[in-house]
Amino acid sequence: MEALADRCRKKYPAHGLPHFSDGTPGVFFITGTNFQHQEIVGKSDSRMVDFANRLLKVIEDSGFELNAYCLLRNHYHVLAVGQDVAILRKSLGMLHGRTSRWWNLEDGTLGRKVWYRVFDTMVRSNRKYYSTLNYIHNNPVKLGLCERVTDWPWSTAASFINEVGREEAIRIWKSYPAKE
């Protein structure tokens, strides 16, 4: 609710901008948010694990290659490469519909709006790519959910560090700081 109030104070849209997709392949930064930033996906660790597995499967089944992701208690971020983001958005919309139904049954809240929608933007430069990657990986630390990026279990931060090495990860974090 605090994040929503802050967006309104700054006169930003409550959840994001409209989609502009022409089917161009590329790298996309994708965010999905629980309605009004409620912590619905994060109600339990088992729900987080289940949704993370489903999210990653949808990305793969949509023909996208995952570069980074972070699932938080009320939203998620994905950095992925693929052909047509509209296909991925549609698949994510179906995932949102299914999980909304399941969670509302589980929580006894039929009719509750669970997801807002998916927001995506094309990443058009190396600088934007790496600053977005750093933003995704640093998000749980910024939100006070953990002290180190490698402590958050629903993120690719640890695997990224293992893949590129600690020194290279530090160089990237310093060279391309996460932007708000």
Side-chain angles (χ1 to χ4, degrees), residues 78-104:
V78 171
L79 188 61
V81 179
Q83 289 298 312
D84 186 351
V85 75
I87 293 167
L88 179 55
R89 271 198 319 266
K90 182 176 180 180
S91 297
L92 290 169
M94 291 188 307
L95 173 64
H96 289 180
R98 287 190 305 273
T99 55
S100 293
R101 178 80 175 140
W102 297 331
W103 297 340
N104 282 343

Side-chain angles (χ1 to χ4, degrees), residues 85-170:
V85 75
I87 293 167
L88 179 55
R89 271 198 319 266
K90 182 176 180 180
S91 297
L92 290 169
M94 291 188 307
L95 173 64
H96 289 180
R98 287 190 305 273
T99 55
S100 293
R101 178 80 175 140
W102 297 331
W103 297 340
N104 282 343
L105 285 169
E106 182 179 294
D107 297 345
T109 55
L110 291 181
R112 170 183 63 177
K113 187 166 182 163
V114 172
W115 294 102
Y116 183 66
R117 66 173 176 172
V118 174
F119 173 75
D120 61 84
T121 186
M122 185 179 265
V123 176
R124 299 183 184 272
S125 70
N126 281 344
R127 175 163 296 285
K128 182 66 176 173
Y129 176 87
Y130 285 112
S131 66
T132 300
L133 179 116
N134 291 336
Y135 174 81
I136 290 169
H137 287 158
N138 192 58
N139 215 221
V141 173
K142 180 184 131 206
L143 295 174
L145 300 171
C146 60
E147 290 189 26
R148 299 176 312 166
V149 297
T150 54
D151 293 340
W152 191 247
W154 301 286
S155 168
T156 51
S159 62
F160 171 74
I161 294 167
N162 287 338
E163 183 179 319
V164 302
R166 186 175 184 277
E167 290 76 26
E168 178 64 5
I170 291 169

Side-chain angles (χ1 to χ4, degrees), residues 12-23:
Y12 294 161
H15 286 277
L17 301 171
H19 303 291
F20 300 100
S21 176
D22 62 0

Side-chain angles (χ1 to χ4, degrees), residues 1-5 7-8 13-16 31-42 47 51 72-76 96-97 99-100 103-104 107 109 111-119:
M1 292 308 290
E2 183 180 317
L4 181 61
R7 289 188 67 78
C8 291
H15 286 277
T31 299
T33 306
N34 285 151
F35 186 68
Q36 295 183 334
H37 300 275
Q38 299 172 71
E39 290 189 2
I40 300 171
V41 67
R47 187 178 281 181
F51 184 78
L72 299 139
R73 301 220 178 269
N74 63 2
H75 69 287
Y76 62 84
H96 289 180
T99 55
S100 293
W103 297 340
N104 282 343
D107 297 345
T109 55
R112 170 183 63 177
K113 187 166 182 163
V114 172
W115 294 102
Y116 183 66
R117 66 173 176 172
V118 174
F119 173 75

